Amino acid sequence: NAGVTQTPKFQVLKTGQSMTLQCAQDMNHNSMYWYRQDPGMGLRLIYYSASEGTTDKGEVPNGYNVSRLNKREFSLRLESAAPSQTSVYFCASSDWVGGSSYEQYFGPGTRLTVT
Amino acid sequence: TQLLEQSPQFLSIQEGENLTVYCNSSSVFSSLQWYRQEPGEGPVLLVTVVTGGEVKKLKRLTFQFGDARKDSSLHITAAQPGDTGLYLCAGDDFGNEKLTFGTGTRLTIIP
């Protein structure tokens, strides 16, 4: 049971290049998320998917697109990378644990540098 | 936009000391979670508090949810080097499955 996996772990891009960050979970969770983490700013939600085939914008969606390929996989695409997108990206999935409470499980992160 | 402010931003103390970190907001949350993140890894859930005034203990860690469900605190007794990490609080906006994360407290325990 690997939990949430992300690839790649590190990536360096030049301004204007494109790339896709991959995420997969094996916990049969319905909801999946993409966050970015910048120093002093905690985690900010980029996109969210409540179920296969649905996606919703988060707090900072500009410059990104997502695809919920199936229940397991949720990818994040940068079409034209900019230096402001230098960050650590985390994928997460969540499961309800009773009542109105749920738990999020995070992947190990992708450290992206755009030069 | 809901905001969660954590204080202090950085904390460095000696092994064996006690400490408290705070998570404050002007918004009400249905529940509040605390995560710990170690370098190079993703956050890991420590606890979820749901009821206003609730206190939960996890070994040497004590978590409290404010009566008005706008704030929370994490108290660590007799800190150990293994407690070192980034502590994040996160509020749940009444079950919509989108968490609002705090700014984080980076804790260093000196042996």
Side-chain angles (χ1 to χ4, degrees):
Chain A
N1 199 354
V4 180
T5 57
Q6 292 182 238
T7 56
K9 197 162 177 62
F10 300 95
Q11 183 72 46
V12 179
L13 291 177
K14 291 188 162 83
T15 297
Q17 288 185 320
S18 62
M19 78 160 296
T20 300
L21 281 65
Q22 306 287 353
C23 172
Q25 53 94 6
D26 61 3
M27 297 174 282
N28 201 37
H29 290 167
N30 285 316
S31 297
M32 297 185 72
Y33 310 79
W34 276 105
Y35 293 92
R36 59 178 288 173
Q37 185 173 39
D38 303 295
M41 301 189 73
L43 287 158
R44 292 183 293 170
L45 182 65
I46 304 171
Y47 268 96
Y48 156 67
S49 172
S51 61
E52 182 180 348
T54 68
T55 61
D56 193 12
K57 292 179 181 179
E59 182 185 353
V60 287
N62 291 343
Y64 305 95
N65 286 301
V66 291
S67 295
R68 182 73 182 268
L69 304 168
N70 47 56
K71 192 170 186 178
R72 290 186 64 249
E73 298 171 288
F74 189 35
S75 62
L76 178 72
R77 182 158 178 85
L78 286 70
E79 291 291 351
S80 179
S84 60
Q85 294 178 305
T86 293
S87 188
V88 182
Y89 291 85
F90 288 98
C91 178
S93 65
S94 71
D95 188 26
W96 292 93
V97 292
S100 62
S101 181
Y102 61 95
E103 296 180 357
Q104 288 199 5
Y105 298 83
F106 286 82
T110 294
R111 189 173 295 274
L112 175 67
T113 302
V114 183
T115 60
Chain B
T1 302
Q2 297 173 310
L3 295 173
L4 276 168
E5 295 288 335
Q6 290 187 241
S7 61
Q9 189 176 358
F10 299 95
L11 183 59
S12 183
I13 64 170
Q14 296 286 340
E15 181 177 358
E17 293 184 348
N18 302 332
L19 67 106
T20 302
V21 298
Y22 299 92
C23 173
N24 294 295
S25 175
S26 57
S27 302
V28 176
F29 293 98
S30 60
S31 67
L32 202 132
Q33 301 177 353
W34 283 91
Y35 291 80
R36 180 168 64 210
Q37 183 179 16
E38 299 190 17
E41 299 182 8
V44 176
L45 180 67
L46 296 173
V47 76
T48 302
V49 285
V50 179
T51 306
E54 181 177 2
V55 176
K56 277 193 175 177
K57 290 193 174 184
L58 188 67
K59 296 184 181 177
R60 294 176 294 100
L61 278 62
T62 301
F63 304 85
Q64 185 161 7
F65 200 12
D67 290 340
R69 296 191 306 197
K70 293 183 179 181
D71 54 85
S72 181
S73 63
L74 158 59
H75 182 78
I76 300 179
T77 304
Q80 298 178 0
D83 296 327
T84 291
L86 177 67
Y87 287 80
L88 295 160
C89 64
D92 174 14
D93 184 14
F94 292 91
N96 71 5
E97 288 200 84
K98 292 184 190 177
L99 293 176
T100 298
F101 279 85
T103 47
T105 292
R106 190 166 296 280
L107 175 65
T108 303
I109 308 302
I110 304 164

